[in-house]
Amino acid sequence: MPRAGTVFVDFFAGQLGVTCSAGGARLGLYLDGVPVPASSVPVPSNSLTGPLRLVPLADVTAGDHAASIGANCAGGTVTTSSYLRRQWTVTLLAE
C-alpha cells in the first residue's frame, strides 16, 4: 500500500468445500497472518458448495501486506479444503 489507511478486501469463491474431523467449519479472511475481525462465517461441511463472498474492511500501514483465507473447525481440524473460481479485489479507500 502506498500509504496507511483502510482497505476494502473482497474475496469471492464460486465453489468451496471444507471438511472437518469434528465440528462445523468456519472460513475467514486473514491479513498478514492475523484474522480480520468479523470476517469469519460458517460454511457447509460438504464438498464444493458455493458461492461465497467475504467483504470486510481492515486498517493497514503503508507497505506490502498478504491477504489469505483461513478455515477452522470447532472441536476438530480441517481435513480438506477447496476454493474454486476464486477472485480477490483489494482497494485502498480514499482519505
Side-chain angles (χ1 to χ4, degrees):
M1 296 290 126
R3 62 173 171 78
T6 301
V7 291
F8 172 87
V9 182
D10 180 354
F11 171 79
F12 173 81
Q15 290 180 293
L16 66 102
V18 177
T19 305
C20 298
S21 61
R26 293 189 70 84
L27 191 71
L29 288 171
Y30 287 70
L31 190 59
D32 299 327
V34 178
V36 174
S39 72
S40 178
V41 297
V43 294
S45 293
N46 56 26
S47 181
L48 296 178
T49 62
L52 174 77
R53 172 164 262 139
L54 300 174
V55 189
L57 296 175
D59 293 324
V60 297
T61 59
D64 294 336
H65 298 278
S68 60
I69 291 295
N72 61 54
C73 301
T77 58
V78 174
T79 55
T80 61
S81 61
S82 299
Y83 313 104
L84 304 178
R85 298 187 346 246
R86 60 188 178 264
Q87 175 181 332
W88 289 89
T89 304
V90 179
T91 305
L92 180 60
L93 301 180
E95 294 181 25

